[in-house]
Amino acid sequence: MASLLPILLAASSAFAADQGMQVYFKGTTTARRIVVPALSRPGDVIHDTGPSMPLPAAFDSILFHGRTQAGVGFEARAGLGAAWGPWVGPEIETFSNGRFWGKFRLAGTAGTSVHLRLVNRGVPPSRVIDIFEIEAFLRAREPVVVTPSRVDLSTRPGKPDVETRQEWNAAPPKYDYTLTTPSRITIHNTAGAQPETLEDARSEMRLIQRYHQAGRGWNDIGYHFLIDGAGRLFQGRPENVVGAHVLSHNTGNIGISFMGNYHPPINDQPSPAQLKAAVELIRWLDEAYGIAPETLVGHRDLGKTDCPGDNIYSRLPDLRKAAAEPVPPPGPTAPELPGAPARVRRFDFARPFTGW
Ligand SMILES: [Zn+2]
């Protein structure tokens, strides 16, 4: 039995500080946009995922989040081979921006499939219901990582405005953070909503924090910075503590997450204001911590995930390029020579980067 030990250790550490296992169904990605049929009546099944692909490791809960759930009953069951357990309902928490997340207390071993369905409990016809993510999760406390040193330059001048945790009414972390020095950047998407108003964005922040703390069991929201649809920056974890956003790559890694779902079938697009805010933040992180913008990566570069979604991933070259552009120092500039107009380079986020 000794030979099994490394496998068990690998399986248990795999979920300590990453997303869970995304649940895939035949022919579809996890996310889905469901329109309630016009003739649907209470008691009818609105949507049936069919059995998922078998999950690669053990889990003790199924987490999901989406938008618009009033009048919809969610049910799930787990099955191994031909043996299916009973349908069960989730715990659901709702937020003022129309978002919800839920958790089914369903457990299974590697090879288990899950099956979800949505039942009409009085939802109006034609209502649109988004399910952004469905993941199988094994709860685990975040590992304590010993780091030799840390540097906190979070109040260094020139930093873009960042909405504080107090402003978005964050809950405190559940236990002490592990300190670290920022040394690299990973770009994510929240795979959720892309809020435009400050009120909706604050609500989204609280949902993500609850999903990470109460759903995944983490210490705090996993990312360090988040960007709403209007280009506002929000503080997740303090930047000088270890986050929970990339499996096995969290030490020194600043997680910047675009609020929204940038992958089929939802397909949000990053707004110019979002991209501009990201550039200003990345540029400042370079000034403060010496993190070269050219080295930033997307989550999918480090692990098996769709994150940050095709529509963000395709813009990473733009972000690297724009953030690496030198900013002219303030003050008087040298007079222009006649006939030699200054070369003004201004990044246009409405178009993909094709060279200066
Ligand atoms: Zn990610």
Side-chain angles (χ1 to χ4, degrees), residues 18-19 186-190 223 245-246 256-257 298-300 305-308:
D18 195 15
Q19 295 184 59
T186 301
I187 303 293
H188 300 263
N189 78 152
T190 59
Y223 314 113
H245 55 99
V246 189
I256 301 175
S257 194
H299 188 177
R300 68 173 63 168
T305 173
D306 296 329
C307 184

Side-chain angles (χ1 to χ4, degrees), residues 44-257:
D44 288 352
V45 172
I46 299 165
H47 181 76
D48 187 324
T49 64
S52 73
M53 310 300 281
L55 287 154
F59 58 92
D60 60 14
S61 57
I62 300 295
L63 306 177
F64 64 110
H65 66 96
R67 180 160 50 199
T68 313
Q69 54 74 47
V72 178
F74 295 89
E75 298 178 346
R77 61 179 183 166
L80 188 60
W84 287 91
W87 291 99
V88 298
E91 301 155 41
I92 295 242
E93 188 173 18
T94 60
F95 291 77
S96 63
N97 63 348
R99 296 268 281 121
F100 69 92
W101 74 275
K103 171 167 62 181
F104 294 101
R105 293 185 182 277
L106 279 175
T109 56
T112 300
S113 293
V114 295
H115 182 178
L116 276 73
R117 66 184 184 188
L118 278 58
V119 179
N120 187 329
R121 300 272 183 246
V123 64
S126 305
R127 177 66 55 87
V128 175
I129 302 154
D130 285 330
I131 297 181
F132 291 133
E133 270 191 304
I134 304 170
E135 58 180 357
F137 213 81
L138 186 66
R139 282 168 66 102
R141 190 184 164 98
E142 288 178 34
V144 173
V145 182
V146 178
T147 53
S149 65
R150 55 131 177 159
V151 174
D152 182 2
L153 300 171
S154 60
T155 58
R156 184 185 158 106
K159 189 175 187 177
D161 285 341
V162 179
E163 170 108 344
T164 66
R165 292 172 62 90
Q166 195 173 16
E167 285 169 326
W168 63 265
N169 198 21
K174 289 155 69 179
Y175 41 91
D176 287 347
Y177 294 120
T178 301
L179 300 173
T180 189
T181 301
S183 60
R184 50 185 170 157
I185 295 169
T186 301
I187 303 293
H188 300 263
N189 78 152
T190 59
Q194 187 185 27
E196 292 288 336
T197 70
L198 180 59
E199 187 185 359
D200 282 352
R202 286 174 171 169
S203 183
E204 185 73 7
M205 287 296 295
R206 289 190 288 272
L207 176 140
I208 297 164
Q209 188 188 37
R210 282 288 294 165
Y211 189 75
H212 287 182
Q213 286 186 320
R216 293 178 178 168
W218 292 349
N219 185 23
D220 194 0
I221 189 169
Y223 314 113
H224 297 90
F225 296 98
L226 298 92
I227 309 172
D228 75 6
R232 297 181 198 90
L233 289 163
F234 290 77
Q235 190 77 56
R237 294 191 189 202
E239 68 202 38
N240 67 322
V241 307
V242 174
H245 55 99
V246 189
L247 172 65
S248 306
H249 293 280
N250 281 309
T251 301
N253 194 354
I254 296 285
I256 301 175
S257 194

Side-chain angles (χ1 to χ4, degrees), residues 336-344:
E336 290 177 23
L337 295 173
R343 188 175 173 217
V344 178

